[in-house]
């Protein structure tokens, strides 16, 4: 089963250069080497909607495990093998594990696009809960209707849904994640396009908009591949 380990964090005030150096040059590689996870990439917050994001940075790790509850214990068990750094503000950090609950949806408009310009990949993370008593309808609408409508109307490349299975340090209050990948030179254009095309999509009362959050992150480093 595929899992995403989302590590949200901030640098200690005044130590952002050291935080970035350590994360990019040391930590990502050590994480992959010690955990055996399949991939890693860093992103920086670029935009947000509905509920604000308290974290300036996101590291996304790809893990494979039969038991989602084994992911964080494995991370903690290998911690001593990695260099820690005081530039990382652990007090405000959060580690959330989301497990896949549906297939990847692809926008056919990107079928013949082999590579995009470096630095133009954006992740659109939509965290949400179903309205009380409407979880079945929420899941049906999201998987069967909404993902493909968003790709078609917003012009984004891929979409996939995940469910929260574990967390650490600061708890995640939202049960589901829809993760979209967009390609654009302007990160501020991502939510602008989403909002401009909203009328073209079927809405549903089964999603609790009041508690939802939409966070846009821009890539700030290339994806690292774990050991085969």
């Amino acid at each position: 089963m595929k899992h995403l380990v989302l590590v949200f964090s901030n640098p200690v005030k005044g130590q952002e250069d050291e935080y970035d150096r350590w994360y990019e040059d040391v930590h990502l590689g050590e994480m992959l080497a010690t955990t055996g996870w399949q991939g890693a990439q860093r992103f920086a917050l670029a935009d947000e909607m509905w509920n604000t994001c308290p974290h300036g940075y996101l590291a996304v790790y790809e893990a494979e495990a039969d038991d989602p509850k084994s992911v964080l214990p494995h991370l903690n068990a290998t911690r001593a093998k990695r260099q820690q750094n005081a530039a990382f503000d652990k007090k405000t950090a959060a580690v959330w594990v989301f497990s896949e609950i549906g297939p990847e949806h692809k926008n056919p408009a990107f079928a013949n696009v082999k590579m995009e310009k470096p630095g133009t990949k954006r992740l659109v993370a939509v965290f949400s809960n179903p309205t009380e008593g409407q979880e079945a309808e929420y899941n049906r609408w999201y998987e069967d209707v909404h993902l493909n409508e968003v790709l078609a109307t917003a012009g984004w490349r891929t979409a996939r849904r995940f469910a929260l299975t574990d967390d650490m340090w600061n708890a995640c209050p939202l049960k589901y994640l829809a993760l979209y990948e967009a390609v654009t030179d302007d990160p501020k254009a991502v939510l602008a396009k989403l909002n401009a095309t909203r009328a073209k999509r079927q809405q549903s009362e089964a999603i609790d908009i009041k508690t939802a959050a939409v966070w846009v992150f821009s890539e700030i480093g290339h994806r690292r591949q774990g050991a085969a």
Side-chain angles (χ1 to χ4, degrees), residues 103-119:
E104 183 178 61
H105 295 243
K106 297 181 179 181
N107 187 336
F110 287 85
N112 296 317
V113 177
K114 302 302 180 184
M115 293 180 63
E116 71 269 4
K117 185 166 66 176

Side-chain angles (χ1 to χ4, degrees), residues 182-196:
V183 180
T184 177
D185 289 326
D186 180 9
K188 293 295 185 182
V190 174
L191 293 186
K193 182 67 176 292
L194 179 68
N195 288 324

Side-chain angles (χ1 to χ4, degrees), residues 51-65:
N51 284 285
T52 59
C53 179
H55 312 285
Y57 293 93
L58 167 66
V60 179
Y61 299 94
E62 303 156 25
E64 294 279 348

Side-chain angles (χ1 to χ4, degrees), residues 97-212:
V97 180
F98 281 87
S99 302
E100 64 180 355
I101 56 173
E104 183 178 61
H105 295 243
K106 297 181 179 181
N107 187 336
F110 287 85
N112 296 317
V113 177
K114 302 302 180 184
M115 293 180 63
E116 71 269 4
K117 185 166 66 176
T120 60
K121 177 182 175 181
R122 322 293 173 186
L123 288 187
V124 186
V126 182
F127 299 92
S128 63
N129 285 327
T131 300
E132 186 174 358
Q134 297 191 51
E135 190 159 4
E137 172 56 21
Y138 165 92
N139 284 318
R140 183 206 65 80
W141 165 78
Y142 230 127
E143 193 65 43
D144 298 344
V145 178
H146 191 59
L147 294 185
N148 286 329
E149 284 192 340
V150 169
L151 295 183
T153 58
W156 297 346
R157 180 160 60 184
T158 63
R160 193 165 199 168
R161 293 184 67 226
F162 299 83
L164 182 71
T165 48
D166 210 353
D167 53 21
M168 182 172 73
W169 295 341
N170 284 285
C172 180
L174 298 164
K175 184 176 180 179
Y176 291 99
L177 165 66
L179 192 65
Y180 302 90
E181 187 177 303
V183 180
T184 177
D185 289 326
D186 180 9
K188 293 295 185 182
V190 174
L191 293 186
K193 182 67 176 292
L194 179 68
N195 288 324
T197 57
R198 187 176 190 274
K200 299 179 181 180
R201 296 185 294 273
Q202 299 178 52
Q203 305 304 312
S204 175
E205 294 183 354
I207 182 173
D208 184 0
I209 295 296
K210 297 187 299 296
T211 59

Side-chain angles (χ1 to χ4, degrees), residues 3-106:
H3 314 283
L4 295 184
V5 184
L6 307 183
V7 181
F8 297 92
S9 64
N10 293 312
V12 171
K13 187 176 181 180
Q15 298 191 47
E16 189 161 2
D17 288 346
E18 171 58 18
Y19 165 91
D20 283 331
R21 182 207 65 78
W22 166 76
Y23 228 126
E24 196 64 37
D25 298 344
V26 178
H27 191 58
L28 290 186
E30 286 189 340
M31 284 284 283
L32 293 179
T34 57
T35 62
W37 294 346
Q38 283 65 52
Q41 189 170 13
R42 290 183 69 220
F43 299 83
L45 183 68
D47 209 354
E48 58 195 357
M49 184 172 72
W50 294 339
N51 284 285
T52 59
C53 179
H55 312 285
Y57 293 93
L58 167 66
V60 179
Y61 299 94
E62 303 156 25
E64 294 279 348
D66 293 333
D67 179 8
K69 290 294 186 181
S70 70
V71 174
L72 291 186
H74 179 56
L75 174 65
N76 289 326
T78 57
R79 186 177 188 272
K81 300 178 181 180
R82 297 184 292 273
Q83 300 178 50
Q84 307 304 311
N85 194 297
F88 179 93
D89 186 359
K90 186 175 177 180
K91 297 189 300 292
T92 61
V95 183
W96 300 345
V97 180
F98 281 87
S99 302
E100 64 180 355
I101 56 173
E104 183 178 61
H105 295 243
K106 297 181 179 181

